[in-house]
Amino acid sequence: MTLSTQLLMAYDQQLRTDAETPSALAVELLGPLRLVTFAGGRGFVTYQDLGGADAPTIARWVAEALAFYRSDPAIVRVEWKTRGHDDAPGLHDALLANGFEPDETESIMIGPAKALTADVQLPPGVSLRRVSEERDIRAMSAMQDEVFGVSVSNGNADAILARAARDDGMELWVAEHEGSMVSAGRLEPVPGTEFAGIWGGATRAEWRGQGIYRAVTAARARAALARGKTLIHSDSTEYSRPILERYGLLRVSTTTPYRWRR
């Protein structure tokens, strides 16, 4: 068995459970599907596998899952998280038929946390720090929204603040230059597993290519090790994937979110 296969098995067994949605308000089951409700009117569909279901069964589950969320007027958007290695006949067509639209496919990256901890020389005037105050969290969230090309959302910041209030080990790290945030990312240790996730990595375009994202990642990896987590996982864009690959993480599969909005 290759290392990549071993890491993918650990991902499926340890992370595709309740561990995937620690801040859920509610979880309903529909066959193998987990229909998750988050704060801010967000629905999220995930599962460990589809149990060998055929295309008609999967199409029925998609329709029933959407009907579940439509019945709650507070839900304004739903993400259905797919993985490239799943056996899911007809799922793409069923999602499209029910009004879901595919987003960018990302790489599922996994590797040892210690591989990411190298010291990085930051550009002059740039410094790293962990943030926890509301003002800083809102500024971080706004910067990430801008980098990701979406409207700055109080809802996104509120969701991060609600998660921070749980005090479940999540850490938020930023890089700053002259008081302005230029890069950021969060660390999410996963209880009961070997894993910590690194999420939300965003660097302003004019600051890319200078090692800043790498430094923010190294800070999070050191924090993961301090919490006893030996493996890092991340859903990575084509910008961040090569950086993580250079430091020992492996692309074990892909993930594509499909999104529905009311």
Side-chain angles (χ1 to χ4, degrees):
M1 185 182 298
T2 66
L3 176 59
S4 178
T5 300
Q6 291 174 347
L7 293 173
L8 183 58
M9 288 179 61
Y11 171 87
D12 283 339
Q13 293 170 1
Q14 296 185 40
L15 296 181
R16 297 179 70 175
T17 64
D18 285 338
E20 187 176 12
T21 54
S23 56
L25 298 180
V27 179
E28 296 289 334
L29 299 181
L30 173 61
L33 307 183
R34 299 175 64 250
L35 310 183
V36 183
T37 300
F38 288 118
R42 296 184 299 130
F44 181 77
V45 182
T46 187
Y47 37 87
Q48 196 163 54
D49 61 60
L50 293 173
D54 59 16
T57 300
I58 290 173
R60 174 170 55 82
W61 285 338
V62 172
E64 291 178 1
L66 183 57
F68 169 81
Y69 287 116
R70 279 187 178 276
S71 70
D72 182 353
I75 298 295
V76 296
R77 51 183 171 149
V78 178
E79 175 185 340
W80 189 299
K81 188 176 180 73
T82 70
R83 276 82 168 192
H85 62 287
D86 283 346
D87 179 19
L91 178 59
H92 171 77
D93 291 338
L95 288 168
L96 295 184
N98 283 273
F100 286 84
E101 297 181 357
D103 207 339
E104 178 184 1
T105 296
E106 297 184 331
S107 298
I108 299 173
M109 306 295 296
I110 303 178
K114 64 182 180 182
L116 298 174
T117 60
D119 290 333
V120 181
Q121 182 67 44
L122 287 166
V126 175
S127 60
L128 299 180
R129 68 184 176 104
R130 182 182 171 190
V131 299
S132 57
E133 298 297 323
E134 179 174 351
R135 178 180 177 180
D136 289 330
I137 291 174
R138 290 194 180 279
M140 183 198 76
S141 178
M143 186 276 289
Q144 290 171 315
D145 287 344
E146 292 169 7
V147 170
F148 293 140
V150 299
S151 299
V152 174
S153 167
N154 285 332
N156 290 341
D158 289 344
I160 296 173
L161 285 163
R163 177 70 186 279
R166 296 168 63 95
D167 193 26
D168 60 1
M170 181 184 73
E171 296 187 16
L172 307 173
W173 287 84
V174 301
E176 295 175 307
H177 181 261
E178 296 181 352
S180 176
M181 293 182 185
V182 299
S183 184
R186 70 183 186 273
L187 175 77
E188 297 191 8
V190 184
T193 76
E194 304 168 79
F195 287 93
I198 53 174
W199 304 105
T203 304
R204 292 193 183 278
E206 64 271 25
W207 288 96
R208 293 174 187 166
Q210 301 181 60
I212 299 174
Y213 171 80
R214 175 75 185 93
V216 173
T217 299
R220 289 180 288 171
R222 286 191 288 269
L225 287 168
R227 293 179 176 273
K229 302 302 179 182
T230 58
L231 293 176
I232 293 291
H233 74 104
S234 178
D235 295 346
S236 298
T237 66
E238 283 306 291
Y239 172 75
S240 58
R241 177 188 57 78
I243 299 173
L244 297 179
E245 281 183 330
R246 284 198 296 272
Y247 292 95
L249 268 65
L250 298 179
R251 181 179 186 265
V252 299
S253 187
T254 60
T255 179
T256 305
Y258 287 69
R259 303 188 189 279
W260 174 88
R261 293 183 180 274
R262 189 177 294 276

